[in-house]
Amino acid sequence: MLVRSLAIGAAVFALRVGLRSEDSPRSLRVAVATGASRQQIEAQINEAILLEEARRYGWDHSDPVVFTHLVRNMRFLEPNSPANDRELFEQAVDLGLHGRDPVVRDRLLYRANRALLSVPKAAEPSDVELGVHLQRHRSRFVRAPIVTLRHVYLSRERGKDLRRDATTLDLSAPAPGDPLPGLGLRFVGSSDTLRHRVGDALGDAADTAPLHEWQGPIASAFGLHFLRVEHRREGRVPALSSIREEVRADYLRELRQRLHRQRFAALRRAYTVHVEHRP
Amino acid sequence: MRRSPIGSPLWIAFALVFAPGCPGEDDPPLVEADRFGRCASFDPLRQVFWGDLHVHTELSFDANTQGTRTTMADAYAFARGQPIGLQPYEPSGEPSRMAQIDRPLDFVLVSDHAEFLSTLALCRDLSSAAAGDADCVAYRNALELDADPLDVGRFFNRINGRLIAEPTQVSYPALCGPGDSNCLLAGVDVWSDVLRAADAAYDRTDSCQFTTFPGYEWTGGPAARNLHRNVLFKNASVPAAPIGYLDEPFPEGLWRRLDQECLSAGTGCDVLTIPHNSNLSEGIFFDRLGGAPIDDDYAAERAKFEPLIEIYQHKGASECLPGDSISDELCGFEILPFANLAATNLEVFGSPAPRGFLRSAYGEGLARDVRGEVNPFKHGVVAATDTHVSAAGFVNEASFLGHGGAGQANRFTAPEGFPDIEYLSPGGLTAVWAEENAREAVFAALKRKETFGTSGPRMVVRLFGGWDYPDDLCGRGDLPTIGYRDGVPMGGDLGPATSNAPELVVAARRDIAGAPLQRIQIVKGWHDGTDYRVEVFDVAGDRGNAADVDLATCAPRGTGAANLCAVWRDPSFDAAHPTYYYARVLENPTCRWTTQQCVRTGYDCDQPTRPIDQDCCDPVVGLDRRRCAAVDCADPDLLPAPDARCCAPPLEPTIQERAWTSPIWYRP
């Protein structure tokens, strides 16, 4: 949930990113430790660019979190100072604290990244766009296959009679067997549900058994099971009207990531970075 | 009152549609509208679905200041089996711990605290008039990476203190502006986010893989005596804003507003409120706040809105308290040694009040039955986590990472010892018997109390009560059919006596990922006109199966049952006495989470150098009590700190996980 001022600043930031890429490149020096990996160097460059942009927007001077943090630090340094908050803040800036303080740094990075992730209101997807998104990423929205089966269960509490009863069970006639709470004579659901309730063997059988043929006995921790798969419905992707909110949430998640990449790439193009290796 | 779903026209219609063989022809179209009967998996004899009805995310004030950054979307994703990251967070923003549930849930209520939902939003809006308010500044400071934990604690107590104010003195913070309008407006925005998130996660197709309910928590706790309730709406037709303690500080005010803005609004809105943690109420939970007597009007309202109660969660169990005439030897399960919320937070030991426990409330209700008054305490039972890290349904003892909230925050450093306060626990789950996994059906199951709660494992329990069940019902595959036809399910009311005594048929199946079952008990409570009495009967299984646990490895020893069933007839029924019956199903003993973590880390009490060693060797935990043999607990305050721990209430290193069903009721 973006705060309103962040959203406004972010929109301006994002807009100007595009414009700035057409200006002459800006120069930036980044100091990295000798022996730093390429990945570490890239991360430091990215961070330096974001910080530079945040400072160009004056967030190190205007951000209320930065403001209160530096004022708090100044009051710690000078507990008896008669200066008011604004004066203390200016003193902190004069001391260069806003440039070195790690909390300020993290706050500016946070705002910059949020700005890169911001989605303008005009980007709210239409049903057409959501439909395209759904088709493009069907695997994200597919519903699990559903199996319909009949089930007969013989409890292990039958003891020594269990195997005999399993051998002599007449499945041609309706045979309710023993009750197993939560798993009735007929089951409609996913094979994973069966796995979670009764174990892998039954779940696997639900997936692989041929239609309309009794299978079993299949052993579980509860006893012996017989099942007859009557129908399988393959996994399917619902219509957009059924899952619109789900698709919208996924669309916006992707959009934010794409906007972040695009905007940051534009920022990178706007800078010439000089890397200095230091021990 | 007898339920007979088998003979109902609705069932007949669906039986014809879903009879074997029909789905092999034209597949039913994916249904868009949210209507009863839309799920492919529909069973008129009802099936069991698992959920967590008490989940907090970053939107809750306490979770937020504890470092929770996981969102509502994260909570729903976690419940569906996706991993999420937990605090503490690295400076880069990456979580330092990951959590994942072992099996997905079927339904969830995200129940963030209504109070301060709007306040936090307002403080984060840097352009708002409240942004410069001292409390908002302090809040933003409290979120900083280098925030002083003591400052955060002080700030939290100052703001949260509004929730323990007396009802006549509650108020919004000054930053909310004249008429609290700033916060009320901001709250509407947040509430619409809550609704949208619930809708995005709700599976409206006929696959019915996941159900959500919009809702929140009403967080009333005058003088730190817990009166909290979760508010659960059936669908997205809801009041314009959540009604919290700062809006309506009396439960009856909450119910009145819910009646006006939901039940009587003509929008299809429906709602129920689920109280929890009566164990931390200092015994006032079942009284009428303010001291007025409970009259029939109040009782009827309470009964209407609160058919259910949360019997167990992170902050302990509320079934029964050991030591009085209505308790039994199994009442000591996860009893917190604290009397109220503040005592829990500050770890100030004290005895919880017996009147704050459900079995006591049941008795007060029966006394009202005897007097011919309305009984507001016929609560059905659910259980939940009350997680404050969005980890819905994260109940596994072996992988417990802490739930935050009243427990350990883990905001600034990753836990090196226990991830949570040792007296707290992972919490439990709610199970409902419903025709399908969709809002209409699950909500109806909650409302009619066809529910049971568990301490975490997913053992399945079925309970029916009637007057003439066949003795061989446990061996018959049509048990549910007969159960419904000739009686009532859990949560129901028995009709007039048609035989000498009621019969209960109870069947339980172990959790395939849990321990074997040890036994099933029936807990009977009745009022003979003078006294309230309770008796517990073992009806199936074997209490003497000698099952136990090797504490060195947590390996279980002994045998147990995969499923149990019994048809039990009350041997001492008196038709003149109002009575209830509920089933309690017990697993064989297993290691408590504290023991599991100690065993896994190979704790060493001879050389307790690591934080985990110190935690595990704390005599409270029950693994190393030998060191306390010589400690005199006559005056613990005079003892050095390590020895004083010998005098703190001890925990048992092993537990018996369990399920509690909603009671079946009889009224003469």
Side-chain angles (χ1 to χ4, degrees):
Chain A
M1 183 174 62
L2 295 178
V3 300
R4 190 149 44 113
S5 70
L6 272 186
I8 292 170
V12 172
F13 183 100
L15 177 65
R16 288 189 177 174
V17 161
L19 294 174
R20 183 161 294 116
S21 64
E22 297 170 6
D23 298 340
S24 48
R26 308 185 66 79
S27 184
L28 189 66
R29 289 190 177 282
V30 176
V32 302
T34 305
S37 69
R38 183 175 179 82
Q39 199 176 4
Q40 288 170 323
I41 295 172
E42 282 294 314
Q44 285 186 253
I45 291 173
N46 294 345
E47 201 173 277
I49 290 174
L50 288 176
L51 285 171
E52 179 67 15
E53 287 297 303
R55 292 189 185 109
R56 285 171 56 77
Y57 277 91
W59 289 343
D60 55 338
H61 284 78
S62 64
D63 185 274
V65 174
V66 171
F67 181 88
T68 55
H69 176 73
L70 292 179
V71 167
R72 187 181 68 159
N73 286 356
M74 286 303 295
R75 291 216 180 273
F76 177 76
L77 288 173
E78 299 188 13
N80 299 319
S81 170
N84 63 30
D85 285 357
R86 173 52 59 178
E87 289 164 347
L88 284 173
F89 178 77
E90 296 301 334
Q91 288 175 25
V93 170
D94 289 342
L95 289 171
L97 296 184
H98 67 307
R100 299 193 297 271
D101 187 282
V103 173
V104 171
R105 174 182 145 278
D106 283 340
R107 173 63 180 177
L108 295 179
L109 283 174
Y110 170 79
R111 281 198 69 171
N113 274 307
R114 295 288 283 187
L116 293 181
L117 289 168
S118 69
V119 175
K121 273 199 165 36
E124 178 68 29
S126 65
D127 279 358
V128 170
E129 286 165 322
L130 290 178
V132 169
H133 185 80
L134 174 58
Q135 291 308 313
R136 197 171 286 160
H137 303 288
R138 292 170 65 83
S139 61
R140 297 179 189 174
F141 306 102
V142 70
R143 292 328 195 227
I146 291 179
V147 63
T148 303
L149 56 86
R150 279 191 64 86
H151 170 251
V152 175
Y153 161 66
L154 298 180
S155 167
R156 75 171 199 192
E157 266 64 45
R158 289 183 179 228
K160 293 180 202 159
D161 295 336
L162 178 58
R163 285 280 165 191
R164 181 206 69 195
D165 293 346
T167 308
T168 58
L169 187 67
D170 180 7
L171 292 165
S172 62
D178 298 324
L180 186 62
L183 193 63
L185 305 179
R186 188 171 169 276
F187 172 83
V188 179
S190 72
S191 57
D192 276 343
T193 299
L194 271 182
R195 285 189 183 86
H196 293 152
R197 291 183 186 179
V198 190
D200 288 343
L202 236 73
D204 292 345
D207 277 338
T208 58
L211 292 179
H212 308 302
E213 293 179 21
W214 281 103
Q215 306 294 308
I218 303 163
S220 78
F222 302 98
L224 296 178
H225 306 258
F226 295 84
L227 61 84
R228 189 175 86 165
V229 176
E230 310 217 314
H231 178 68
R232 281 195 188 90
R233 191 179 83 182
E234 296 303 314
R236 58 210 303 211
V237 176
L240 177 63
S241 54
S242 304
I243 54 170
R244 191 186 189 284
E245 283 301 314
E246 186 182 337
V247 177
R248 175 184 175 274
D250 191 71
Y251 178 97
L252 290 177
R253 198 162 35 238
E254 241 191 33
L255 178 62
R256 286 191 191 96
Q257 291 165 3
R258 191 164 63 243
L259 286 172
H260 189 286
R261 282 194 304 271
Q262 290 170 353
R263 289 164 175 166
F264 192 75
L267 279 178
R268 282 300 299 264
R269 287 193 297 273
Y271 278 86
T272 299
V273 179
H274 301 276
V275 177
E276 295 176 356
H277 293 267
R278 293 181 185 170
Chain B
M1 181 175 72
R2 289 191 178 185
R3 296 281 188 97
S4 184
I6 306 306
S8 74
L10 185 64
W11 182 86
I12 292 170
F14 282 112
L16 291 174
V17 170
F18 291 101
C22 288
E25 297 159 7
D26 293 317
D27 286 338
L30 289 167
V31 178
E32 298 174 18
D34 190 12
R35 60 176 176 79
F36 186 73
R38 66 175 173 81
C39 298
S41 177
F42 180 98
D43 187 346
L45 292 176
R46 299 173 182 149
Q47 38 190 329
V48 68
F49 297 109
W50 294 97
D52 189 352
L53 297 178
H54 197 161
V55 178
H56 294 273
T57 73
E58 57 150 11
L59 289 183
S60 284
F61 174 67
D62 48 0
N64 194 275
T65 52
Q66 285 179 338
T68 296
R69 296 291 173 261
T70 39
T71 64
M72 292 178 284
D74 291 325
Y76 294 129
F78 182 86
R80 300 197 62 179
Q82 300 300 314
I84 62 172
L86 301 184
Q87 60 265 48
Y89 290 87
E90 305 291 348
S92 62
E94 292 299 307
S96 62
R97 303 182 297 161
M98 298 300 293
Q100 188 170 15
I101 200 172
D102 58 346
R103 288 165 289 182
L105 296 179
D106 298 307
F107 61 89
V108 164
L109 168 68
V110 170
S111 56
D112 283 304
H113 297 289
E115 302 77 11
F116 312 127
L117 265 184
S118 54
T119 317
L120 300 190
L122 209 58
C123 287
R124 288 198 291 254
D125 183 351
L126 300 176
S127 67
S128 78
D133 182 274
D135 278 342
C136 282
V137 171
Y139 165 64
R140 291 195 300 268
N141 285 343
L143 296 184
E144 291 196 13
L145 288 174
D146 69 339
D148 184 330
L150 287 177
D151 284 343
V152 175
R154 281 191 281 268
F155 166 71
F156 173 78
N157 289 335
R158 188 171 79 249
I159 300 299
N160 205 58
R162 292 180 177 274
L163 302 183
I164 62 172
E166 291 296 332
T168 51
Q169 293 170 353
V170 297
S171 63
Y172 273 90
L175 62 91
C176 292
D180 307 326
S181 55
N182 294 336
C183 290
L184 294 175
L185 282 172
V188 171
D189 284 343
V190 181
W191 186 227
S192 67
D193 287 341
V194 170
L195 300 179
R196 197 143 212 190
D199 233 44
Y202 177 38
D203 186 357
R204 293 180 178 278
T205 71
D206 72 341
S207 295
C208 296
Q209 290 177 178
F210 192 62
T211 295
T212 64
F213 297 98
Y216 64 89
E217 180 170 344
W218 180 93
T219 323
R225 296 169 296 176
N226 183 87
L227 297 179
H228 300 180
R229 289 148 156 91
N230 288 347
V231 181
L232 182 151
F233 294 96
K234 184 172 85 170
N235 54 40
S237 296
V238 296
I243 304 158
Y245 183 61
L246 303 183
D247 306 296
E248 291 293 342
F250 288 86
E252 52 264 52
L254 168 66
W255 300 327
R256 185 185 65 250
R257 288 278 301 274
L258 289 175
D259 195 57
Q260 291 166 355
E261 298 176 32
C262 177
L263 298 182
S264 302
T267 57
C269 180
D270 204 347
V271 63
L272 50 90
T273 60
I274 306 175
H276 60 266
N277 285 124
S278 58
N279 58 322
L280 298 177
S281 68
E282 289 187 18
I284 71 165
F285 203 97
F286 301 104
D287 294 336
R288 183 171 182 174
L289 189 61
I294 295 178
D295 56 26
D296 278 353
D297 287 341
Y298 172 89
E301 280 297 280
R302 187 163 183 153
K304 181 171 88 175
F305 280 97
E306 301 195 339
L308 299 168
I309 194 166
E310 195 181 89
I311 198 171
Y312 170 61
Q313 55 124 280
H314 180 224
K315 299 195 299 293
S318 298
E319 180 197 2
C320 49
L321 186 66
D324 59 20
S325 64
I326 59 172
S327 67
D328 64 271
E329 77 273 14
L330 293 174
C331 284
F333 176 76
E334 298 293 355
I335 297 294
L336 287 198
F338 310 115
N340 59 40
L341 288 170
T344 305
N345 288 337
L346 299 172
E347 213 164 315
V348 174
F349 297 119
S351 299
R355 289 190 67 244
F357 287 77
L358 186 54
R359 224 183 254 181
S360 170
Y362 283 162
E364 293 195 30
L366 293 183
R368 293 184 63 87
D369 281 333
V370 167
R371 296 193 295 270
E373 298 166 352
V374 174
N375 180 354
F377 303 131
K378 292 172 64 178
H379 294 296
V381 162
V382 298
T385 59
D386 193 13
T387 179
H388 280 62
V389 296
S390 308
F394 200 33
V395 295
N396 190 285
E397 301 271 333
S399 52
F400 185 45
L401 295 177
H403 278 315
Q408 203 162 291
N410 298 321
R411 172 180 164 183
F412 295 101
T413 55
E416 294 176 306
F418 288 149
D420 209 338
I421 294 168
E422 60 272 355
Y423 290 104
L424 306 183
S425 56
L429 296 177
T430 291
V432 304
W433 286 99
E435 292 85 352
E436 57 186 353
N437 184 22
R439 281 177 174 171
E440 195 76 37
V442 174
F443 187 86
L446 293 171
K447 212 159 189 184
R448 68 173 177 268
K449 302 178 284 185
E450 198 170 353
T451 63
F452 59 99
T454 82
S455 59
R458 302 191 191 192
M459 65 280 267
V460 176
V461 187
R462 202 125 205 192
L463 176 70
F464 296 97
W467 297 103
D468 190 21
Y469 284 126
D471 291 339
D472 66 345
L473 191 52
C474 281
R476 293 168 55 163
D478 58 351
L479 184 155
T481 304
I482 305 300
Y484 280 115
R485 188 192 71 192
D486 294 344
V488 298
M490 60 179 76
D493 290 279
L494 284 168
T498 57
S499 70
N500 290 338
E503 286 173 334
L504 300 179
V505 56
V506 56
R509 184 191 87 214
R510 67 171 284 186
D511 179 357
I512 196 72
L517 301 179
Q518 186 191 65
R519 54 188 153 135
I520 303 178
Q521 300 178 310
I522 296 292
V523 178
K524 172 189 174 185
W526 74 98
H527 202 294
D528 64 9
T530 306
D531 294 313
Y532 165 50
R533 300 180 193 278
V534 173
E535 191 170 355
V536 181
F537 301 87
D538 286 357
V539 303
D542 180 10
R543 69 157 58 207
N545 66 356
D548 69 354
V549 184
D550 180 349
L551 287 181
T553 61
C554 283
R557 297 188 292 220
T559 59
N563 58 83
L564 295 169
C565 186
V567 179
W568 175 81
R569 186 180 177 84
D570 184 350
S572 56
F573 176 70
D574 188 325
H577 300 160
T579 308
Y580 67 79
Y581 307 91
Y582 67 87
R584 188 167 62 188
V585 180
L586 297 158
E587 286 187 350
N588 279 347
T590 48
C591 279
R592 192 176 185 267
W593 71 268
T594 39
T595 308
Q596 301 232 20
Q597 304 228 350
C598 293
V599 167
R600 191 166 62 240
T601 56
Y603 70 102
D604 183 351
C605 291
D606 292 325
Q607 288 190 327
T609 53
R610 302 171 299 169
I612 190 64
D613 297 322
Q614 287 148 23
D615 281 351
C616 295
C617 302
D618 185 332
V620 160
V621 174
L623 296 175
D624 184 30
R625 288 189 177 145
R626 57 189 164 91
R627 63 190 264 193
C628 297
V631 173
D632 180 358
C633 288
D635 197 343
D637 291 338
L638 297 179
L639 295 171
D643 289 346
R645 291 295 286 171
C646 295
C647 308
L651 294 162
E652 291 298 323
T654 63
I655 54 172
Q656 283 188 272
E657 302 271 23
R658 59 199 61 194
W660 307 264
T661 70
S662 294
I664 289 174
W665 300 86
Y666 167 77
R667 186 169 183 177

